[in-house]
Amino acid sequence: VFVFTSDLSLISEGLRKMCICVSPPLSEEWERREILERIVEEIRGSPLSRVKDVSVEFDDGFVRDGRGLTLHEFETAVLRSVFERRRIDRHVLVRVKQEAFEKRGFRLAYPKEGFGHIGGYWALKRFFQDFILKVLRSGVAAEWGLEPIRGIILFGIGGTGKTLLARAMANELGMPFIKVDSSQIFGSLVGESERNVRRLVEVAEAAAPCIVFIDEIDQLGLSRESYVSTDSGTSRRVQNMLMD
């Protein structure tokens, strides 16, 4: 018996233990390349290829930027790009990707400002440079199996530039930036908060590598007594899922 669902939580945990659960990726790189090559071949064999200023040249970056999209969404991005821009344009792909992530409840951006746009914070920027950027860009680090820091907590009162620093980091790394408010995680229904975290993890893994910025995460840092008295341990479970 095969069962297909977009929400695994609809199936009880007891039944899930008796089944083999398979979560296919939204799209693989080779699948997106096949779709792109097929569309390009069809365009070259159609009257559209004789229209002035229509270009169907593309590079590997366009295929890689399609991470996190379903095959249908990627195909839509390619076709919209050709008909709107008369070429395979990354900007159209980014716009389609942002629309797709918004439907899933998340905001995706490709920040244009880097560390050069931020005044001060020299020690913090140096920390990011030494322990993240250099590790990712260094071939020596890769040879030794060194990985950059994956979790960072920025602490400070509102308006001190925490979000701006995170956006600048995404720009320096050339990665998409996903911003999530902690209010998006907690839900009023039983199991909704855990389901939101799983959806966030799935989206982040599909778009990886990327920067995930969780705003007001201090709302998750409740005391041990609060776990018991207010939400039957929901906050503790959500926090543990995020830390994993």
Side-chain angles (χ1 to χ4, degrees):
V1 177
F2 290 84
V3 178
F4 298 87
T5 178
S6 59
D7 188 356
L8 192 60
S9 63
L10 296 176
I11 301 175
S12 67
E13 192 163 340
L15 183 58
R16 267 184 275 167
K17 292 180 180 179
M18 302 170 59
C19 305
I20 298 176
C21 298
V22 180
S23 179
L26 294 177
S27 65
E28 296 279 7
E29 186 167 326
W30 66 269
E31 294 176 313
R32 297 193 298 272
R33 185 180 300 279
E34 281 192 359
I35 286 179
L36 184 53
E37 291 175 347
R38 173 179 56 79
I39 293 176
V40 167
E41 185 178 350
E42 291 175 354
I43 291 175
R44 285 175 175 165
S46 70
L48 185 62
S49 62
R50 294 190 289 272
V51 177
K52 186 179 180 181
D53 297 331
V54 172
S55 172
V56 288
E57 301 300 323
F58 66 91
D59 56 26
D60 292 339
F62 190 90
V63 178
R64 287 194 299 270
D65 286 342
R67 289 186 298 256
L69 293 177
T70 65
L71 295 179
H72 174 70
E73 290 166 345
F74 182 74
E75 184 175 19
T76 299
V78 177
L79 294 175
R80 280 179 56 176
S81 178
V82 172
F83 285 99
E84 290 180 10
R85 299 291 185 92
R86 295 179 177 269
R87 65 181 184 276
I88 296 176
D89 194 304
R90 179 178 179 272
H91 294 89
V92 177
L93 175 65
V94 168
R95 191 165 71 244
V96 171
K97 194 169 181 177
Q98 289 173 327
E99 293 171 356
F101 273 65
E102 285 180 7
K103 290 178 181 178
R104 297 167 194 159
F106 301 102
R107 287 171 288 177
L108 180 76
Y110 287 82
K112 297 180 180 179
E113 64 278 2
F115 287 153
H117 293 78
I118 301 176
Y121 290 106
W122 307 115
L124 189 55
K125 288 189 285 188
R126 179 65 181 272
F127 175 85
F128 288 156
Q129 291 280 0
D130 290 344
F131 292 96
I132 299 179
L133 297 177
K134 287 183 180 179
V135 175
L136 286 173
R137 295 169 178 170
S138 172
V140 176
E143 290 177 4
W144 284 87
L146 299 177
E147 296 184 355
I149 297 171
R150 298 185 61 186
I152 297 175
I153 295 179
L154 297 176
F155 171 78
I157 61 175
T160 53
K162 299 185 292 296
T163 303
L164 183 60
L165 280 165
R167 289 177 60 88
M169 172 62 72
N171 174 271
E172 295 288 337
L173 292 172
M175 296 180 181
F177 178 81
I178 302 174
K179 182 180 178 182
V180 182
D181 293 323
S182 57
S183 59
Q184 293 178 251
I185 296 177
F186 284 108
S188 58
L189 302 178
V190 176
E192 186 177 1
S193 301
E194 292 88 340
R195 187 161 55 247
N196 291 339
V197 175
R198 283 194 295 268
R199 190 169 71 249
L200 171 61
V201 172
E202 291 171 358
V203 168
E205 289 180 345
C210 63
I211 298 291
V212 178
F213 180 77
I214 303 178
D215 202 11
E216 305 293 344
I217 197 173
D218 52 288
Q219 294 186 21
L220 304 179
L222 302 176
S223 65
R224 188 177 299 272
E225 292 76 15
S226 299
Y227 291 146
V228 179
S229 62
T230 60
D231 60 3
S232 302
T234 297
S235 297
R236 175 177 52 79
R237 290 193 296 273
V238 168
Q239 189 175 10
N240 290 340
M241 292 172 69
L242 288 173
M243 293 303 103
D244 290 341

Short mmCIF file of all heavy atoms in Angstrom, two decimals, residues 29-74:
data_model
loop_
_atom_site.label_atom_id
_atom_site.label_comp_id
_atom_site.label_asym_id
_atom_site.label_seq_id
_atom_site.Cartn_x
_atom_site.Cartn_y
_atom_site.Cartn_z
N GLU A 29 19.49 18.40 -9.18
CA GLU A 29 20.16 19.25 -10.17
C GLU A 29 20.08 18.64 -11.56
O GLU A 29 19.86 19.35 -12.55
CB GLU A 29 21.62 19.47 -9.77
CG GLU A 29 22.34 20.47 -10.66
CD GLU A 29 23.66 20.93 -10.08
OE1 GLU A 29 23.77 21.04 -8.84
OE2 GLU A 29 24.60 21.18 -10.88
N TRP A 30 20.25 17.32 -11.66
CA TRP A 30 20.21 16.69 -12.97
C TRP A 30 18.81 16.78 -13.58
O TRP A 30 18.66 16.88 -14.82
CB TRP A 30 20.66 15.23 -12.90
CG TRP A 30 19.75 14.33 -12.12
CD1 TRP A 30 19.82 14.03 -10.79
CD2 TRP A 30 18.63 13.59 -12.63
NE1 TRP A 30 18.82 13.16 -10.44
CE2 TRP A 30 18.08 12.86 -11.54
CE3 TRP A 30 18.05 13.46 -13.89
CZ2 TRP A 30 16.97 12.04 -11.69
CZ3 TRP A 30 16.94 12.64 -14.03
CH2 TRP A 30 16.42 11.94 -12.94
N GLU A 31 17.77 16.76 -12.75
CA GLU A 31 16.41 16.89 -13.26
C GLU A 31 16.17 18.30 -13.81
O GLU A 31 15.57 18.48 -14.88
CB GLU A 31 15.40 16.61 -12.15
CG GLU A 31 15.41 15.18 -11.65
CD GLU A 31 14.48 14.96 -10.47
OE1 GLU A 31 14.51 15.77 -9.53
OE2 GLU A 31 13.71 13.98 -10.50
N ARG A 32 16.65 19.32 -13.06
CA ARG A 32 16.48 20.70 -13.53
C ARG A 32 17.26 20.92 -14.83
O ARG A 32 16.78 21.62 -15.74
CB ARG A 32 16.94 21.68 -12.45
CG ARG A 32 16.13 21.59 -11.18
CD ARG A 32 16.40 22.78 -10.26
NE ARG A 32 17.79 22.85 -9.81
CZ ARG A 32 18.26 22.23 -8.72
NH1 ARG A 32 17.45 21.50 -7.99
NH2 ARG A 32 19.53 22.35 -8.38
N ARG A 33 18.43 20.32 -14.93
CA ARG A 33 19.22 20.47 -16.16
C ARG A 33 18.51 19.85 -17.35
O ARG A 33 18.49 20.42 -18.44
CB ARG A 33 20.60 19.84 -15.97
CG ARG A 33 21.54 20.06 -17.15
CD ARG A 33 22.88 19.39 -16.90
NE ARG A 33 23.51 19.95 -15.71
CZ ARG A 33 24.18 21.09 -15.71
NH1 ARG A 33 24.32 21.77 -16.84
NH2 ARG A 33 24.73 21.52 -14.60
N GLU A 34 17.92 18.69 -17.14
CA GLU A 34 17.18 18.03 -18.23
C GLU A 34 16.02 18.89 -18.71
O GLU A 34 15.78 19.01 -19.92
CB GLU A 34 16.69 16.65 -17.78
CG GLU A 34 17.74 15.58 -17.80
CD GLU A 34 17.15 14.19 -17.64
OE1 GLU A 34 15.90 14.08 -17.48
OE2 GLU A 34 17.92 13.21 -17.67
N ILE A 35 15.29 19.47 -17.75
CA ILE A 35 14.16 20.33 -18.12
C ILE A 35 14.65 21.54 -18.89
O ILE A 35 14.07 21.91 -19.92
CB ILE A 35 13.40 20.77 -16.85
CG1 ILE A 35 12.57 19.62 -16.30
CG2 ILE A 35 12.49 21.98 -17.15
CD1 ILE A 35 11.80 19.95 -15.05
N LEU A 36 15.72 22.16 -18.42
CA LEU A 36 16.25 23.35 -19.09
C LEU A 36 16.73 23.01 -20.49
O LEU A 36 16.45 23.75 -21.45
CB LEU A 36 17.39 23.93 -18.25
CG LEU A 36 18.01 25.24 -18.73
CD1 LEU A 36 16.95 26.31 -18.96
CD2 LEU A 36 19.04 25.74 -17.72
N GLU A 37 17.45 21.91 -20.64
CA GLU A 37 17.96 21.51 -21.96
C GLU A 37 16.81 21.18 -22.91
O GLU A 37 16.87 21.49 -24.11
CB GLU A 37 18.90 20.34 -21.82
CG GLU A 37 20.22 20.70 -21.13
CD GLU A 37 21.10 19.49 -20.90
OE1 GLU A 37 20.59 18.35 -21.03
OE2 GLU A 37 22.29 19.66 -20.56
N ARG A 38 15.74 20.55 -22.39
CA ARG A 38 14.59 20.23 -23.23
C ARG A 38 13.90 21.50 -23.73
O ARG A 38 13.56 21.60 -24.92
CB ARG A 38 13.59 19.36 -22.45
CG ARG A 38 12.28 19.10 -23.20
CD ARG A 38 11.35 18.22 -22.41
NE ARG A 38 11.05 18.73 -21.09
CZ ARG A 38 10.16 19.70 -20.86
NH1 ARG A 38 9.52 20.28 -21.87
NH2 ARG A 38 9.91 20.10 -19.62
N ILE A 39 13.72 22.47 -22.84
CA ILE A 39 13.06 23.72 -23.24
C ILE A 39 13.91 24.45 -24.27
O ILE A 39 13.39 24.98 -25.26
CB ILE A 39 12.81 24.61 -22.00
CG1 ILE A 39 11.77 23.95 -21.08
CG2 ILE A 39 12.35 26.00 -22.42
CD1 ILE A 39 11.55 24.70 -19.80
N VAL A 40 15.22 24.48 -24.04
CA VAL A 40 16.12 25.16 -24.98
C VAL A 40 16.06 24.50 -26.35
O VAL A 40 15.99 25.17 -27.39
CB VAL A 40 17.57 25.14 -24.45
CG1 VAL A 40 18.56 25.54 -25.54
CG2 VAL A 40 17.70 26.06 -23.25
N GLU A 41 16.03 23.17 -26.38
CA GLU A 41 15.96 22.45 -27.65
C GLU A 41 14.64 22.73 -28.36
O GLU A 41 14.61 22.91 -29.59
CB GLU A 41 16.11 20.95 -27.39
CG GLU A 41 16.16 20.11 -28.65
CD GLU A 41 16.37 18.64 -28.36
OE1 GLU A 41 16.67 18.29 -27.19
OE2 GLU A 41 16.24 17.83 -29.30
N GLU A 42 13.54 22.77 -27.59
CA GLU A 42 12.24 23.05 -28.21
C GLU A 42 12.19 24.47 -28.77
O GLU A 42 11.61 24.71 -29.84
CB GLU A 42 11.14 22.84 -27.18
CG GLU A 42 10.93 21.39 -26.79
CD GLU A 42 9.91 21.22 -25.69
OE1 GLU A 42 9.45 22.26 -25.15
OE2 GLU A 42 9.56 20.07 -25.35
N ILE A 43 12.77 25.43 -28.06
CA ILE A 43 12.77 26.81 -28.53
C ILE A 43 13.61 26.96 -29.80
O ILE A 43 13.21 27.65 -30.74
CB ILE A 43 13.29 27.75 -27.42
CG1 ILE A 43 12.29 27.82 -26.28
CG2 ILE A 43 13.55 29.16 -27.98
CD1 ILE A 43 12.75 28.64 -25.09
N ARG A 44 14.75 26.30 -29.83
CA ARG A 44 15.62 26.38 -31.01
C ARG A 44 14.97 25.77 -32.24
O ARG A 44 15.28 26.14 -33.36
CB ARG A 44 16.95 25.69 -30.72
CG ARG A 44 17.86 26.52 -29.81
CD ARG A 44 19.11 25.76 -29.44
NE ARG A 44 20.02 26.61 -28.68
CZ ARG A 44 21.04 26.16 -27.97
NH1 ARG A 44 21.28 24.84 -27.93
NH2 ARG A 44 21.83 27.00 -27.31
N GLY A 45 14.04 24.84 -32.03
CA GLY A 45 13.35 24.22 -33.16
C GLY A 45 12.01 24.85 -33.48
O GLY A 45 11.26 24.33 -34.29
N SER A 46 11.70 25.98 -32.82
CA SER A 46 10.41 26.64 -33.03
C SER A 46 10.61 28.00 -33.70
O SER A 46 11.74 28.51 -33.77
CB SER A 46 9.70 26.84 -31.69
OG SER A 46 10.38 27.83 -30.93
N PRO A 47 9.51 28.60 -34.21
CA PRO A 47 9.62 29.94 -34.83
C PRO A 47 10.16 30.99 -33.87
O PRO A 47 10.67 32.02 -34.30
CB PRO A 47 8.17 30.24 -35.24
CG PRO A 47 7.53 28.91 -35.39
CD PRO A 47 8.16 28.05 -34.34
N LEU A 48 10.06 30.74 -32.56
CA LEU A 48 10.54 31.71 -31.59
C LEU A 48 12.04 31.95 -31.73
O LEU A 48 12.53 33.04 -31.43
CB LEU A 48 10.22 31.24 -30.17
CG LEU A 48 10.54 32.20 -29.02
CD1 LEU A 48 9.74 33.48 -29.15
CD2 LEU A 48 10.28 31.53 -27.67
N SER A 49 12.76 30.91 -32.21
CA SER A 49 14.21 31.05 -32.32
C SER A 49 14.60 32.08 -33.38
O SER A 49 15.72 32.59 -33.37
CB SER A 49 14.84 29.69 -32.68
OG SER A 49 14.37 29.24 -33.94
N ARG A 50 13.68 32.39 -34.28
CA ARG A 50 13.98 33.36 -35.34
C ARG A 50 13.61 34.79 -34.95
O ARG A 50 13.82 35.73 -35.70
CB ARG A 50 13.24 32.96 -36.63
CG ARG A 50 13.74 31.64 -37.21
CD ARG A 50 13.17 31.40 -38.58
NE ARG A 50 11.74 31.08 -38.53
CZ ARG A 50 11.27 29.86 -38.36
NH1 ARG A 50 12.09 28.83 -38.24
NH2 ARG A 50 9.97 29.63 -38.35
N VAL A 51 13.03 34.93 -33.74
CA VAL A 51 12.70 36.26 -33.25
C VAL A 51 13.99 36.97 -32.83
O VAL A 51 14.85 36.39 -32.17
CB VAL A 51 11.73 36.19 -32.06
CG1 VAL A 51 11.44 37.58 -31.51
CG2 VAL A 51 10.43 35.51 -32.48
N LYS A 52 14.11 38.20 -33.20
CA LYS A 52 15.33 38.97 -32.92
C LYS A 52 15.56 39.10 -31.42
O LYS A 52 14.63 39.29 -30.66
CB LYS A 52 15.22 40.35 -33.57
CG LYS A 52 16.49 41.17 -33.46
CD LYS A 52 16.31 42.52 -34.14
CE LYS A 52 17.58 43.33 -34.02
NZ LYS A 52 17.45 44.68 -34.67
N ASP A 53 16.81 39.00 -31.01
CA ASP A 53 17.26 39.23 -29.64
C ASP A 53 16.80 38.16 -28.66
O ASP A 53 16.81 38.40 -27.45
CB ASP A 53 16.79 40.60 -29.13
CG ASP A 53 17.38 41.75 -29.93
OD1 ASP A 53 18.50 41.56 -30.46
OD2 ASP A 53 16.73 42.79 -30.03
N VAL A 54 16.39 36.99 -29.11
CA VAL A 54 16.05 35.90 -28.21
C VAL A 54 17.28 35.02 -28.03
O VAL A 54 17.83 34.51 -29.00
CB VAL A 54 14.87 35.06 -28.75
CG1 VAL A 54 14.68 33.82 -27.89
CG2 VAL A 54 13.60 35.88 -28.76
N SER A 55 17.72 34.87 -26.77
CA SER A 55 18.89 34.06 -26.46
C SER A 55 18.51 32.97 -25.47
O SER A 55 17.81 33.23 -24.49
CB SER A 55 20.01 34.93 -25.86
OG SER A 55 21.08 34.13 -25.41
N VAL A 56 18.96 31.74 -25.73
CA VAL A 56 18.66 30.63 -24.84
C VAL A 56 19.94 30.04 -24.26
O VAL A 56 19.98 28.88 -23.86
CB VAL A 56 17.85 29.53 -25.57
CG1 VAL A 56 16.44 29.99 -25.84
CG2 VAL A 56 18.54 29.11 -26.86
N GLU A 57 20.99 30.84 -24.19
CA GLU A 57 22.23 30.38 -23.57
C GLU A 57 22.07 30.39 -22.05
O GLU A 57 21.40 31.26 -21.49
CB GLU A 57 23.39 31.28 -23.98
CG GLU A 57 23.62 31.33 -25.50
CD GLU A 57 23.93 29.96 -26.08
OE1 GLU A 57 24.64 29.18 -25.39
OE2 GLU A 57 23.48 29.67 -27.19
N PHE A 58 22.70 29.43 -21.37
CA PHE A 58 22.63 29.38 -19.92
C PHE A 58 23.92 28.78 -19.37
O PHE A 58 24.72 28.20 -20.12
CB PHE A 58 21.43 28.54 -19.46
CG PHE A 58 21.54 27.07 -19.81
CD1 PHE A 58 22.12 26.18 -18.91
CD2 PHE A 58 21.08 26.58 -21.02
CE1 PHE A 58 22.23 24.83 -19.22
CE2 PHE A 58 21.18 25.24 -21.33
CZ PHE A 58 21.76 24.36 -20.43
N ASP A 59 24.12 28.96 -18.06
CA ASP A 59 25.30 28.38 -17.42
C ASP A 59 24.85 27.51 -16.24
O ASP A 59 23.68 27.43 -15.91
CB ASP A 59 26.28 29.47 -16.96
CG ASP A 59 25.61 30.49 -16.03
OD1 ASP A 59 24.61 30.13 -15.36
OD2 ASP A 59 26.09 31.63 -15.96
N ASP A 60 25.82 26.86 -15.62
CA ASP A 60 25.51 25.95 -14.51
C ASP A 60 24.91 26.69 -13.32
O ASP A 60 24.17 26.11 -12.52
CB ASP A 60 26.77 25.20 -14.07
CG ASP A 60 27.26 24.23 -15.13
OD1 ASP A 60 26.44 23.85 -15.98
OD2 ASP A 60 28.45 23.85 -15.09
N GLY A 61 25.24 27.98 -13.17
CA GLY A 61 24.72 28.75 -12.05
C GLY A 61 23.21 28.82 -12.05
O GLY A 61 22.58 28.81 -10.98
N PHE A 62 22.61 28.91 -13.23
CA PHE A 62 21.16 28.98 -13.32
C PHE A 62 20.53 27.69 -12.79
O PHE A 62 19.52 27.71 -12.09
CB PHE A 62 20.73 29.22 -14.77
CG PHE A 62 19.27 29.54 -14.93
CD1 PHE A 62 18.82 30.85 -14.87
CD2 PHE A 62 18.34 28.53 -15.14
CE1 PHE A 62 17.46 31.14 -15.01
CE2 PHE A 62 17.00 28.81 -15.27
CZ PHE A 62 16.56 30.12 -15.21
N VAL A 63 21.14 26.56 -13.14
CA VAL A 63 20.63 25.27 -12.67
C VAL A 63 20.78 25.15 -11.15
O VAL A 63 19.87 24.72 -10.45
CB VAL A 63 21.36 24.11 -13.38
CG1 VAL A 63 20.85 22.77 -12.86
CG2 VAL A 63 21.16 24.20 -14.89
N ARG A 64 21.93 25.57 -10.63
CA ARG A 64 22.16 25.49 -9.18
C ARG A 64 21.20 26.40 -8.42
O ARG A 64 20.72 26.05 -7.35
CB ARG A 64 23.61 25.86 -8.85
CG ARG A 64 24.63 24.80 -9.24
CD ARG A 64 25.96 25.08 -8.57
NE ARG A 64 26.49 26.37 -8.98
CZ ARG A 64 27.29 26.56 -10.02
NH1 ARG A 64 27.65 25.52 -10.76
NH2 ARG A 64 27.74 27.76 -10.32
N ASP A 65 20.91 27.59 -8.96
CA ASP A 65 20.03 28.53 -8.27
C ASP A 65 18.60 28.03 -8.19
O ASP A 65 17.78 28.59 -7.46
CB ASP A 65 20.05 29.89 -8.99
CG ASP A 65 21.34 30.65 -8.73
OD1 ASP A 65 22.04 30.31 -7.76
OD2 ASP A 65 21.66 31.57 -9.51
N GLY A 66 18.29 26.96 -8.91
CA GLY A 66 16.95 26.40 -8.86
C GLY A 66 16.72 25.51 -7.66
O GLY A 66 15.61 24.96 -7.50
N ARG A 67 17.72 25.39 -6.77
CA ARG A 67 17.54 24.59 -5.55
C ARG A 67 16.36 25.13 -4.75
O ARG A 67 16.19 26.33 -4.60
CB ARG A 67 18.80 24.65 -4.67
CG ARG A 67 19.99 23.89 -5.20
CD ARG A 67 21.10 23.93 -4.17
NE ARG A 67 21.54 25.30 -3.93
CZ ARG A 67 22.66 25.82 -4.39
NH1 ARG A 67 23.46 25.09 -5.13
NH2 ARG A 67 22.98 27.07 -4.11
N GLY A 68 15.57 24.22 -4.21
CA GLY A 68 14.42 24.61 -3.39
C GLY A 68 13.14 24.76 -4.18
O GLY A 68 12.09 25.03 -3.59
N LEU A 69 13.20 24.59 -5.51
CA LEU A 69 12.01 24.68 -6.36
C LEU A 69 11.58 23.29 -6.79
O LEU A 69 12.40 22.40 -6.97
CB LEU A 69 12.29 25.53 -7.61
CG LEU A 69 12.57 27.01 -7.41
CD1 LEU A 69 12.89 27.65 -8.76
CD2 LEU A 69 11.40 27.71 -6.76
N THR A 70 10.28 23.12 -6.96
CA THR A 70 9.80 21.89 -7.57
C THR A 70 10.12 21.95 -9.06
O THR A 70 10.46 23.01 -9.60
CB THR A 70 8.29 21.72 -7.38
OG1 THR A 70 7.60 22.79 -8.09
CG2 THR A 70 7.92 21.78 -5.90
N LEU A 71 9.99 20.82 -9.74
CA LEU A 71 10.27 20.80 -11.18
C LEU A 71 9.31 21.71 -11.94
O LEU A 71 9.70 22.38 -12.90
CB LEU A 71 10.18 19.37 -11.71
CG LEU A 71 11.24 18.39 -11.16
CD1 LEU A 71 11.02 16.99 -11.73
CD2 LEU A 71 12.64 18.89 -11.46
N HIS A 72 8.06 21.74 -11.50
CA HIS A 72 7.08 22.61 -12.16
C HIS A 72 7.45 24.08 -11.96
O HIS A 72 7.36 24.88 -12.90
CB HIS A 72 5.68 22.34 -11.60
CG HIS A 72 4.64 23.28 -12.12
ND1 HIS A 72 4.19 23.27 -13.43
CD2 HIS A 72 3.96 24.30 -11.50
CE1 HIS A 72 3.29 24.22 -13.59
NE2 HIS A 72 3.14 24.85 -12.44
N GLU A 73 7.86 24.44 -10.75
CA GLU A 73 8.25 25.83 -10.47
C GLU A 73 9.48 26.22 -11.28
O GLU A 73 9.57 27.34 -11.79
CB GLU A 73 8.51 26.00 -8.98
CG GLU A 73 7.24 25.92 -8.13
CD GLU A 73 7.54 25.76 -6.65
OE1 GLU A 73 8.69 25.43 -6.30
OE2 GLU A 73 6.61 25.97 -5.83
N PHE A 74 10.44 25.30 -11.39
CA PHE A 74 11.64 25.60 -12.17
C PHE A 74 11.31 25.77 -13.65
O PHE A 74 11.80 26.69 -14.31
CB PHE A 74 12.67 24.48 -11.99
CG PHE A 74 13.96 24.73 -12.72
CD1 PHE A 74 14.86 25.66 -12.23
CD2 PHE A 74 14.26 24.04 -13.88
CE1 PHE A 74 16.07 25.90 -12.89
CE2 PHE A 74 15.45 24.27 -14.55
CZ PHE A 74 16.36 25.21 -14.06
#
